[in-house]
Amino acid sequence: MAVELTLLSRVAYRDQEVTGPRLRGLLALLASDLRTGCSTARLVEGLWPDEQSENPTKALQVLVSRARAQLGADVIATTPTGYRLALGEDQVDASAVLLSASASARQAREGDHEAALAHAEAGLALYEAAERADAGFDDPVSALRAERASTYRSLVRARALALSRLGRHAEAAEELASWSPSDPVTRRCWPSCCAARQRH
């Protein structure tokens, strides 16, 4: 399935920008626990950390109604304790990158480095640069992006390792140039990568 909800590089559903900080925050909180969703209490705490209304449950219901009106009535499902996104893991970029990282690692262990590279590049294409993660802001979208920063780094490592094992050392060297020499992937690949760079 194609990704329908993006949160990592921008907040959009089916390519339409989602505006409004609380609506964006609601989607980020629900995406952070895609399978089980979030309780009403967790959503209220995450969306109104400093200024809760007199009736926070009602305020949340109004926000969910707005989200359903904008995105579609079936996008957010009601659960016994709160709400969840009615989307698969491959339909939300914040979950799809985890799937890509896991699949890349699995293929690398099995020795299929072409497949490992393909999964790593698919994940990186979804992420579109960790540096855009708005790390200075304390809100649910930024928090989700910060949580996925380690996945981004894992995908970069996986891509570099796959390139090296496929004999594409010069390309791997470009990926590894900014990494610490103590990084395990750098230590493993750097000698052959350096040799390749010297030949070019």
Side-chain angles (χ1 to χ4, degrees):
M1 286 188 183
V3 168
E4 297 196 354
L5 176 61
T6 59
L7 294 156
L8 296 177
S9 57
R10 65 183 184 128
V11 182
Y13 180 69
R14 293 182 177 174
D15 236 12
Q16 297 297 312
E17 292 287 337
V18 176
T19 58
R22 288 213 170 95
L23 183 52
R24 291 157 60 97
L26 172 66
L27 295 174
L29 287 168
L30 294 175
S32 68
D33 202 343
L34 195 60
R35 292 182 180 178
T36 58
C38 294
S39 68
T40 296
R42 184 184 170 201
L43 290 170
V44 167
E45 182 181 357
L47 293 168
W48 291 275
D50 301 316
E51 46 170 309
Q52 290 189 13
S53 66
E54 293 182 5
N55 190 339
T57 301
K58 180 63 176 177
L60 177 60
Q61 290 172 346
V62 170
L63 181 62
V64 170
S65 294
R66 279 179 46 212
R68 287 169 169 163
Q70 183 172 334
L71 307 177
D74 57 346
V75 173
I76 299 177
T78 303
T79 70
T81 59
Y83 301 94
R84 68 174 179 84
L85 288 173
L87 296 170
E89 291 179 284
D90 55 350
Q91 294 177 290
V92 180
D93 65 352
S95 296
V97 292
L98 298 177
L99 296 178
S100 292
S102 176
S104 181
R106 183 177 65 254
Q107 296 293 349
R109 287 193 301 270
E110 294 174 358
D112 189 344
H113 303 301
E114 288 282 3
L117 177 61
H119 284 295
E121 290 185 332
L124 289 169
L126 289 172
Y127 203 97
E128 290 192 3
E131 290 76 14
R132 293 194 220 169
D134 300 336
F137 298 95
D138 183 17
D139 64 84
V141 174
S142 296
L144 179 63
R145 290 172 176 175
E147 287 176 9
R148 294 297 181 269
S150 61
T151 305
Y152 179 83
R153 292 191 292 271
S154 295
L155 288 165
V156 172
R157 284 194 198 92
R159 183 177 189 274
L161 184 59
L163 286 169
S164 178
R165 287 176 170 171
L166 290 167
R168 295 163 62 179
H169 300 299
E171 293 172 77
E174 292 179 15
E175 298 280 0
L176 296 171
S178 62
W179 290 89
S180 166
S182 62
D183 181 80
V185 172
T186 304
R187 288 201 307 269
R188 199 179 317 163
C189 302
W190 194 245
S192 55
C193 290
C194 283
R197 293 180 88 179
Q198 290 169 1
R199 289 195 296 269
H200 286 74

